[in-house]
């Protein structure tokens, strides 16, 4: 499924933000699915860089339910996010989590090759990001660094939201850039979002 007109505008605004002085993008890795790839290409074009595609970053495969909105499935009594739900013809949660763990290890390896102030741009999908964020949140909680405000903001992923993870012995969130979509404030695209599978 391709990006909508609104999605293309969001990708353009994300690209402008990531080309700013606060970021030093040195490599872009993206899911090979259309919407993520189009978003990554918008960033790459502005930064004059290549996009490195990785199928491990694909969204969870919902099989026969693909192409239907989350709202329409909920109206039919199907909650795809319910613990233990396995979509017909799609990924089990165990398989999805295993794939995300492999992708996370690859990202960590890539990030470790960068210098301290450089950034790796990873463009992927909501459930993949939730999995990654939960891994960083677990490391922060173990280190005693997770405050009460962060958990509320961590898992409601917005389209083209930016989260910066600092690389070190313990991976931690940048204090001001967690699921941040401030770059979208100049347009009215922060309203109700439809999740399509």
């Amino acid at each position: 499924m391709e990006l909508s007109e609104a999605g293309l505008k969001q990708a353009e605004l994300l690209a402008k933000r990531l080309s700013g002085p606060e970021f030093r993008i040195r490599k872009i890795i993206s899911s090979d699915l259309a919407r993520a790839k189009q978003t990554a290409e918008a960033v790459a074009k502005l930064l004059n860089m290549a996009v490195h595609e990785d199928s491990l970053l694909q969204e969870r495969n919902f099989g026969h339910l693909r192409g239907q909105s989350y709202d329409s499935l909920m109206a039919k009594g199907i909650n795809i996010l319910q613990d233990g739900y396995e979509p017909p013809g799609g990924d089990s949660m165990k398989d999805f989590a295993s794939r995300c763990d492999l992708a996370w290890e690859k990202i960590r390896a890539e990030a470790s090759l960068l210098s301290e102030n450089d950034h790796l741009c990873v463009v992927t999908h909501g459930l993949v990001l939730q999995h990654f964020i939960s891994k960083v949140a677990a490391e922060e909680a173990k280190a005693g660094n997770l405050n009460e405000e962060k958990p509320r903001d961590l898992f409601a992923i917005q389209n083209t939201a930016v989260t910066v993870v600092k690389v070190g012995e313990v991976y931690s969130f940048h204090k001001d850039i967690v699921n941040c979509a401030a770059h979208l404030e100049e347009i009215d695209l922060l309203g109700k979002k439809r999740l399509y599978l």
Side-chain angles (χ1 to χ4, degrees):
M1 183 179 292
E2 302 281 319
L3 284 176
S4 66
E5 186 176 326
L8 290 169
K9 182 65 175 171
Q10 289 175 339
E12 177 186 318
L13 291 171
L14 173 67
K16 282 184 192 173
R17 180 177 186 183
L18 294 181
S19 68
E22 68 187 296
F23 296 101
R24 288 179 36 174
I25 306 295
R26 295 297 179 248
K27 186 169 186 177
I28 301 169
I29 303 173
S30 174
S31 160
D32 58 351
L33 295 180
R35 288 179 290 182
K37 196 163 90 170
Q38 285 179 281
T39 301
E41 287 168 348
V43 175
K45 181 179 179 183
L46 202 56
L47 296 175
N48 197 27
M49 299 178 75
V51 174
H52 302 271
E53 295 178 22
D54 191 336
S55 62
L56 290 176
L57 293 170
Q58 288 184 6
E59 183 62 280
R60 183 177 177 192
N61 179 354
F62 285 98
H64 304 308
L65 303 177
R66 268 195 164 162
Q68 298 180 59
S69 74
Y70 180 71
D71 291 342
S72 71
L73 292 171
M74 288 297 287
K76 297 175 192 172
I78 301 170
N79 183 355
I80 59 166
L81 302 178
Q82 181 179 11
D83 283 343
Y85 179 77
E86 294 197 16
D91 292 339
S92 69
M93 185 50 84
K94 181 180 176 186
D95 290 343
F96 174 68
S98 293
R99 177 166 51 83
C100 288
D101 288 343
L102 288 172
W104 180 246
E105 290 309 314
K106 285 179 74 174
I107 289 167
R108 287 178 70 140
E110 288 283 348
S112 71
L113 300 174
L114 300 175
S115 61
E116 186 176 343
N117 294 316
D118 290 342
H119 293 97
L120 173 67
C121 176
V122 179
V123 182
T124 187
H125 310 273
L127 295 178
V128 178
L129 289 172
Q130 285 180 348
H131 188 85
F132 292 167
I133 287 172
S134 71
K135 294 182 88 53
V136 176
E139 286 192 36
E140 282 213 358
K142 199 182 326 179
N145 297 331
L146 197 61
N147 65 37
E148 289 298 315
E149 294 174 16
K150 283 184 181 175
R152 284 189 289 262
D153 298 332
L154 294 180
F155 299 105
I157 307 295
Q158 299 182 61
N159 286 342
T160 72
V162 175
T163 296
V164 174
V165 176
K166 291 186 176 181
V167 178
E169 286 190 29
V170 174
Y171 282 62
S172 62
F173 296 112
H174 182 290
K175 67 183 180 106
D176 297 321
I177 310 177
V178 177
N179 194 23
C180 179
H183 51 280
L184 300 183
E185 290 176 359
E186 70 178 73
I187 56 172
D188 186 23
L189 293 177
L190 290 174
K192 188 169 175 359
K193 163 183 121 165
R194 287 186 177 239
L195 170 65
Y196 284 90
L197 310 177

